[in-house]
């Protein structure tokens, strides 16, 4: 019988390189057990087929998971033209096959231009998006007829990395809520031949633009053969997750008032959502700074 895991209080962020074929929640739970963290959450699901950056938040860092979920992201996608699947990726059942016409670089760029910017996008029917309190993929697996909702998303840029015959490689930079599978599906329809994703890798999530990631196999080896210090080396402080926001520093008196939920004011503080820090550099929480410098506590860290 395996010894029972002694979970512990642990605060911080791990930049996991999620393996293909595993759900984001399963990857989170494996990593949480390896770190023996009492509490954990991820910052938005990657498809089981996808690999790449999945920031994991442990302990008090779970309080900023929603912020990271809403951040800009970048992906490399491998697409095959000519086949439409029910999941819009290679894990699904082929619904239709069509001949792939000769497509010039100019035609491809024109088609992608229509999928760039602020656009309305329909989510895949096999997605975690909820309808009536239930994920769409649950309804789809029951065979229910589903009309996935359209939502406005922001696709900042789509770069063509390679194109040869039916195979296409793209790099997509986008905002929160964007489905790369939907981009592939819609591109295939614009081109008149259908398309689906065959591989997808998330490169970065703001503010982790050049992430130092670790895979689950490597993490297991560190947990089993390394020291506690070796494991802790992969745990980033909460402050790293706040680097994309404004920064407010408080003296001890102000820090006490902030932690009591009181408002403060300084016209020199940056307007918008900000990370709030004490003089020792430790993050105290999140605050909203108004145009006149008023700081309203939004969330407090118990570190």
């Amino acid at each position: 019988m395996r010894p029972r895991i002694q979970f512990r209080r642990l605060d911080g962020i791990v930049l996991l390189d999620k393996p293909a074929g595993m759900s984001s929640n399963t990857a989170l739970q494996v990593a949480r057990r390896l770190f023996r963290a009492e509490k954990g959450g991820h910052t938005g699901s990657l498809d089981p087929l996808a690999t790449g950056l999945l920031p994991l938040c442990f302990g008090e860092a779970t309080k900023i998971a929603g912020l990271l979920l809403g951040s800009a992201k970048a992906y490399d996608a491998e697409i095959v033209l000519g086949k439409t699947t029910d999941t819009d990726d290679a894990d699904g059942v082929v619904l239709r096959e069509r001949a792939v016409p000769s497509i010039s670089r100019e035609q491809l760029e024109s088609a992608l231009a229509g999928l760039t910017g602020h656009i309305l996008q329909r989510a895949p029917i096999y997605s975690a998006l909820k309808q009536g309190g239930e994920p769409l993929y649950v309804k789809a697996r029951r065979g229910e007829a589903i009309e996935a909702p359209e939502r406005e998303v922001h696709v900042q840029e789509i770069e063509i990395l390679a194109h040869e015959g039916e195979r296409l490689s793209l790099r997509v930079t986008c905002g929160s809520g964007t489905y790369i599978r939907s981009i592939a599906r819609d591109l295939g329809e614009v081109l008149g031949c259908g398309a689906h994703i065959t591989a997808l890798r998330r490169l970065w999530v703001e503010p982790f633009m050049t992430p130092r990631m670790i895979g689950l196999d490597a993490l297991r080896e560190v947990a089993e053969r390394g020291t506690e210090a070796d494991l802790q080396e992969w745990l980033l402080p909460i402050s790293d997750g706040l680097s994309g926001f404004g920064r407010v520093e408080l003296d001890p008196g102000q820090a006490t008032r902030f932690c009591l939920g009181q408002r403060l004011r300084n016209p020199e503080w940056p307007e918008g959502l900000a990370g709030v820090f004490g003089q020792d550099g430790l993050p105290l929480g999140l605050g909203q700074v108004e145009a006149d410098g008023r700081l309203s506590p939004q969330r407090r860290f118990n570190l």
Side-chain angles (χ1 to χ4, degrees):
M1 180 181 294
R2 291 184 180 180
R4 187 172 181 177
I5 298 174
Q6 296 297 314
F7 289 100
R8 55 179 173 159
R9 164 75 182 268
L10 189 71
D11 303 307
I13 301 167
V14 174
L15 302 184
L16 183 70
D17 189 346
K18 189 190 86 66
M22 180 180 287
S23 74
S24 293
N25 187 60
T26 298
L28 164 66
Q29 297 308 326
V30 172
R32 188 175 73 86
R33 287 193 294 270
L34 292 173
F35 275 94
R36 297 184 290 111
E38 287 179 344
K39 183 179 180 181
H42 60 69
T43 57
S45 296
L46 274 173
D47 295 335
L49 173 143
T51 66
L53 179 57
L54 181 67
L56 305 179
C57 296
F58 295 138
E60 289 296 280
T62 58
K63 293 179 179 179
I64 66 169
L67 298 180
L68 299 177
L69 172 61
S71 299
K73 305 168 178 68
Y75 301 83
D76 277 356
E78 301 294 326
I79 296 171
V80 166
L81 303 173
K83 293 181 182 179
T84 303
T85 73
D86 60 351
T87 59
D88 301 320
D89 65 19
D91 286 342
V93 175
V94 176
L95 300 176
R96 187 180 180 187
E97 293 190 44
R98 285 172 273 181
V100 179
S102 177
I103 302 169
S104 68
R105 176 87 177 197
E106 291 73 22
Q107 288 174 311
L108 190 53
E109 288 177 345
S110 177
L112 290 171
L115 300 173
T116 307
H118 290 281
I119 62 172
L120 282 177
Q121 185 185 77
R122 191 177 300 280
I125 62 170
Y126 282 88
S127 66
L129 195 65
K130 289 187 177 181
Q131 196 173 70
E134 194 172 36
L136 291 182
Y137 69 82
V138 174
K139 295 175 178 288
R141 286 172 181 168
R142 287 202 298 260
E144 295 182 21
I146 298 171
E147 184 68 20
E150 281 191 328
R151 301 183 299 170
E152 184 175 297
V153 298
H154 183 214
V155 180
Q156 295 166 287
E157 183 181 14
I158 304 178
E159 178 186 355
I160 302 170
L161 301 179
H163 175 217
E164 184 175 351
E166 65 180 20
R167 298 197 170 270
L168 174 65
S169 299
L170 301 177
R171 178 162 296 168
V172 182
T173 306
C174 59
S176 175
T178 306
Y179 282 95
I180 310 303
R181 284 183 288 151
S182 293
I183 290 177
R185 177 200 66 209
D186 295 345
L187 174 63
E189 294 310 308
V190 172
L191 297 174
C193 59
H196 67 277
I197 292 279
T198 57
L200 183 65
R201 181 166 181 79
R202 187 150 69 189
L203 305 176
W204 53 259
V205 174
E206 202 172 34
F208 306 110
M209 310 298 285
T210 55
R212 177 175 175 253
M213 295 182 270
I214 185 169
L216 282 179
D217 287 342
L219 197 57
R220 285 191 190 95
E221 186 169 347
V222 172
E224 293 170 3
R225 301 183 184 181
T227 65
E228 187 66 28
D230 293 329
L231 195 61
Q232 292 289 117
E233 182 184 340
W234 293 97
L235 188 71
L236 301 178
I238 294 175
S239 56
D240 282 19
L242 299 173
S243 61
F245 301 92
R247 183 183 177 99
V248 169
E249 295 187 0
L250 304 181
D251 63 33
Q254 291 171 325
T256 298
R257 291 175 60 192
F258 176 85
C259 291
L260 290 173
Q262 298 177 15
R263 291 186 177 185
L264 304 166
R265 186 176 182 274
N266 186 329
E268 296 183 1
W269 286 335
E271 183 180 357
L273 190 64
V276 180
F277 294 80
Q279 283 187 331
D280 56 5
L282 286 177
L284 300 174
L286 292 166
Q288 183 69 38
V289 181
E290 305 301 332
D292 63 357
R294 283 183 301 166
L295 171 67
S296 300
Q298 300 293 308
R299 204 162 295 169
R300 189 168 67 85
F301 302 137
N302 298 309
L303 297 175

